[in-house]
Amino acid sequence: MSNPSESDARLLERIGAGRVAARERRARRRNFATAFLFMAPALVLVCGMLLYPVAFNVWMSFTDWRKFKGLDTFVGLRNYERLFGQIYFAEAAFNTMIWVVASLVFPVLLGLGIAILLRGVRFETTFKNLIFLPRVLAPTAVGVIWFYVYAPAGLLNYLLSLLTGEPVSIGWLYQANTVTPAIIATHVWQTVGIVMVLLLLGLSAVPRDPVEAAQMDGAKPWQTYFHVILPILTPTLVVVAIISVLAGFTAFDLLWVMGAGYPGQRTLSLVVFMYFEAFQKGGWAFGGAVAVVIGVLVLLVTWVQALLQARAERMVR
Amino acid sequence: MQATIDRHDYDAIARAEAARRKGGWIVLGVAILVSLVWLAPFYYLLVSVFKSSTEYASGSPLALPQGFSPIVDNAIRVWTDAKFGWGLANSAIYGLIGASVAVFIAAMAAFGLTRLDFSGRTFWFMLIFSGTVFPFQMYLIPLFFTYQQFGILNTRFGMILFYCAICVPFPVLVLRNFMAGLNREMDEAARMDGASDWRVFFSIVLPNARGPMLALFLLQFTWIWNDLLFSTVLGNTPEIRSVMNALQVFQGAYTSAGPNIALTGALMASIPTVLLFLFLRRHFMAGLSVSA
């Protein structure tokens, strides 16, 4: 026979524990109600203004929606089929790929090069601020400035004619083979500063000991960079690379301002193509399909980023 | 022992210094060259805004201006032809209201997500944060259509509403991380004294989150000020346009007016955020490091 007082105590304890659990559950529910009130404005704005449009966009890309008609006619994948038969789409997609690769390679390489170059040089801060300066301007203002730098009678042609001794008047922004590189160069000019600052932040986090140990062992500067600093910098580089790729995918302002005079403006990138199809030609559903393609590509990049970041973090550990 | 370590370190430092001094002049030269290339467009901008249209057309793009007075005429032309006054006022309103409301709403949400215990917090956070995942292009057509239906297309209310929404998710991420690190004992103490949740939020958590909130406000204000895309789609009339949209429209429509005038517009549109950046660089850099 068990001790009655002991089982009583246990029973009481259990009742007590149950009461505490119930109280906690009640408190959590009350907490949720309060927390929900605190989150409500954010939830309303995000769901109503951001998530609902995305859902709407995906759904209507399967309809025949054009100006004033067809939001209720489903056509399945026809918009997407039409897309891949379009020569303008192919050209826009190709140019977007150039943008993505160029805005990954050039800002990161130049940013890394300048970051390494400027470390420890005299007037380091002044140089850094100068390189960062374009970033402070709005892309639209930058586009206006460079529109005239590239103009037939603009700064670039003037400098070229000084160099060659002959008058140069190339319409950089009006020719199919120069317009994209020209705008990308402007983009690089503006973004190298931020890439450099982020990389310098990463470099300043590199611990002194392994670097000095390598130098003690007689490592050449480039060996130190490649085998000691670069691996530690990898997580920062991943972040910077992803930011650069996404910026390349979704670039609009510069293209819109600087490409305004280019005859084939819609082919400059997928984003500009989408704007043309939807807002200038009224093909809502077709433009929506382009937006979905851009969205899928961006999600893909974000997913790759998550994978790379996880791996980079494991590498550091 | 101590002394040998010290001398050892000094040797290393001295050797590094000597190596740097040897290559120093070349590096300095390269750095100056790069900076000159980087500065050339700024120089071009600054000399052009002080030229009249005839002066700009007749001289070299790099020539120094003959005087300072033409900038007044240029500015007046931008002001009247591009309705730049509207643009500047609109952008200021959109930026001030949009960024401050969004950061405040984000702070409320972050408080709910971190300072109150309930299950499913990760879900609610992900729901809000998913607003940053999709590219802007996916919002454009549905918003345009919905705005048209509700009659808020090309209105200031519509523009502010959208800017408030787009500026919420990212600050929620930052402030959630920040508030999660704040000591919760203060909250409990205040609750013991009978303070309501709202009171705890307002008098304890908000004052402590001032630093990151200011940095976030600056980031979001600059983003709204610089935005071209959404003003082009959702608010494209002369009275509603943001300053960047006004600049773009002006540059497109008045290319014959002369680069000096459009460049003056670009300078005028840039001055507010450039000044903000120069005076509050510390806070911008704080915002930069939290966003990285």
Side-chain angles (χ1 to χ4, degrees):
Chain A
M1 221 177 97
S2 64
N3 188 339
S5 66
E6 192 193 308
S7 70
D8 275 1
R10 226 181 267 158
L11 194 65
L12 275 175
E13 205 172 76
R14 204 142 20 122
I15 293 170
R19 273 208 197 118
V20 168
R23 205 183 307 142
E24 243 166 42
R25 234 175 295 135
R26 237 175 298 135
R28 275 171 174 252
R29 223 172 298 145
R30 201 182 49 232
N31 275 343
F32 176 70
T34 319
F36 190 79
L37 285 181
F38 273 100
M39 294 187 296
L43 286 171
V44 168
L45 281 176
V46 168
C47 291
M49 308 289 298
L50 306 178
L51 299 184
Y52 163 72
V54 168
F56 190 157
N57 189 315
V58 172
W59 170 68
M60 63 87 162
S61 74
F62 298 111
T63 70
D64 190 28
W65 192 26
R66 254 168 284 170
K67 234 171 192 164
F68 309 121
K69 65 163 270 199
L71 191 49
D72 47 0
T73 337
F74 270 84
V75 295
L77 290 171
R78 215 178 65 198
N79 288 318
Y80 294 92
E81 284 164 19
R82 238 183 88 202
L83 211 59
F84 291 103
Q86 259 241 21
I87 179 98
Y88 292 127
F89 175 77
E91 221 177 310
F94 176 73
N95 281 330
T96 301
M97 284 303 130
I98 293 183
W99 261 88
V100 168
V101 173
S103 55
L104 170 67
V105 171
F106 292 115
V108 171
L109 277 188
L110 267 174
L112 191 61
I114 295 177
I116 290 172
L117 175 80
L118 290 185
R119 234 160 77 106
V121 81
R122 215 169 305 172
F123 314 117
E124 182 185 339
T125 323
T126 315
F127 283 125
K128 272 194 298 194
N129 286 340
L130 287 183
I131 303 289
F132 190 79
L133 202 57
R135 169 72 197 190
V136 182
L137 297 182
T140 313
V142 168
V144 170
I145 297 170
W146 281 79
F147 182 85
Y148 296 112
V149 170
Y150 286 130
L155 179 62
L156 180 62
N157 284 336
Y158 174 78
L159 292 176
L160 285 177
S161 63
L162 280 188
L163 280 177
T164 58
E166 298 161 30
V168 181
S169 59
I170 302 169
W172 297 96
L173 297 175
Y174 303 94
Q175 299 171 356
N177 56 345
T178 52
V179 61
T180 297
I183 303 177
I184 288 175
T186 305
H187 178 73
V188 171
W189 177 75
Q190 191 178 20
T191 46
V192 161
I194 185 100
V195 171
M196 178 200 67
V197 168
L198 290 176
L199 289 176
L200 283 171
L201 273 179
L203 277 178
S204 68
V206 172
R208 270 267 171 86
D209 302 349
V211 177
E212 273 172 9
Q215 282 167 347
M216 295 289 177
D217 292 345
K220 299 209 164 56
W222 63 267
Q223 281 175 323
T224 320
Y225 274 115
F226 261 89
H227 298 295
V228 183
I229 295 181
L230 215 52
I232 302 177
L233 207 57
T234 307
T236 316
L237 273 172
V238 170
V239 171
V240 167
I242 296 296
I243 292 176
S244 306
V245 166
L246 289 181
F249 256 123
T250 54
F252 173 77
D253 301 12
L254 281 184
L255 289 159
W256 195 241
V257 176
M258 296 173 71
Y262 177 57
Q265 196 190 359
R266 78 168 85 168
T267 65
L268 283 177
S269 81
L270 285 178
V271 172
V272 180
F273 178 73
M274 178 241 151
Y275 188 93
F276 255 84
E277 291 298 327
F279 293 103
Q280 308 225 325
K281 292 174 66 185
W284 302 123
F286 190 57
V290 183
V292 170
V293 170
I294 300 170
V296 169
L297 290 173
V298 166
L299 286 181
L300 220 62
V301 173
T302 320
W303 179 65
V304 171
Q305 167 197 19
L307 288 185
L308 282 180
Q309 221 159 13
R311 179 183 280 187
E313 265 157 32
R314 244 177 310 162
M315 244 172 66
V316 170
R317 245 178 268 139
Chain B
M1 193 64 207
Q2 188 65 40
T4 52
I5 287 173
D6 278 348
R7 202 177 58 219
H8 186 69
D9 273 352
Y10 284 135
D11 283 354
I13 291 166
R15 238 182 300 140
E17 280 285 298
R20 206 176 293 147
R21 223 175 298 133
K22 224 191 304 169
W25 289 109
I26 305 164
V27 174
L28 193 65
V30 176
I32 289 173
L33 205 69
V34 171
S35 311
L36 279 181
V37 172
W38 241 251
L39 280 182
F42 284 104
Y43 173 81
Y44 167 66
L45 171 72
L46 288 181
V47 294
S48 298
V49 297
F50 292 109
K51 291 174 183 173
S52 67
S53 294
T54 45
E55 189 186 345
Y56 182 92
S58 59
S60 105
L62 289 179
L64 282 170
Q66 286 155 10
F68 291 111
S69 54
I71 194 175
V72 178
D73 290 335
N74 293 346
I76 289 173
R77 277 214 55 191
V78 175
W79 192 271
T80 50
D81 289 355
K83 292 216 166 51
F84 233 56
W86 280 116
L88 289 167
N90 286 335
S91 283
I93 293 170
Y94 300 157
L96 285 175
I97 300 182
S100 49
V101 170
V103 172
F104 183 75
I105 286 177
M108 279 175 64
F111 176 83
L113 284 168
T114 54
R115 315 298 282 182
L116 298 161
D117 286 318
F118 61 96
S119 37
R121 287 193 286 188
T122 318
F123 166 78
W124 293 103
F125 167 68
M126 290 310 273
L127 186 64
I128 296 175
F129 190 61
S130 62
T132 60
V133 172
F134 304 98
F136 298 146
Q137 284 71 35
M138 293 188 84
Y139 308 141
L140 291 178
I141 302 170
L143 277 180
F144 180 81
F145 177 70
T146 315
Y147 267 40
Q148 212 168 30
Q149 279 198 320
F150 282 92
I152 54 173
L153 191 68
N154 298 330
T155 62
R156 283 201 190 88
F157 172 75
M159 297 295 292
I160 291 171
L161 188 64
F162 176 75
Y163 285 135
C164 283
I166 194 82
C167 291
V168 163
F170 176 67
V172 169
L173 168 75
V174 175
L175 290 173
R176 171 177 170 264
N177 291 345
F178 180 81
M179 286 184 191
L182 282 181
N183 194 344
R184 273 185 79 155
E185 276 163 20
M186 301 181 297
D187 296 23
E188 301 310 327
R191 285 209 178 87
M192 289 291 183
D193 292 345
S196 63
D197 292 309
W198 183 253
R199 184 72 198 275
V200 171
F201 169 65
F202 231 89
S203 331
I204 294 175
V205 177
L206 263 197
N208 276 303
R210 242 182 348 215
M213 281 176 74
L214 178 61
L216 286 167
F217 171 80
L218 289 172
L219 280 182
Q220 304 300 331
F221 178 88
T222 309
W223 188 87
I224 295 172
W225 185 275
N226 290 350
D227 171 59
L228 173 68
L229 181 61
F230 290 103
S231 175
T232 306
V233 173
L234 299 178
N236 204 1
T237 58
E239 287 77 24
I240 304 301
R241 265 178 206 141
S242 72
V243 69
M244 291 305 158
N245 191 9
L247 176 65
Q248 187 270 326
V249 170
F250 177 77
Q251 194 251 355
Y254 291 84
T255 30
S256 57
N260 53 325
I261 294 168
L263 287 169
T264 308
L267 182 68
M268 285 162 71
S270 307
I271 285 175
T273 43
V274 171
L275 287 183
L276 263 188
F277 177 81
L278 291 180
F279 286 126
L280 300 166
R281 211 177 54 192
R282 198 163 49 87
H283 297 284
F284 269 101
M285 288 302 174
L288 201 72
S289 54
V290 293
S291 65

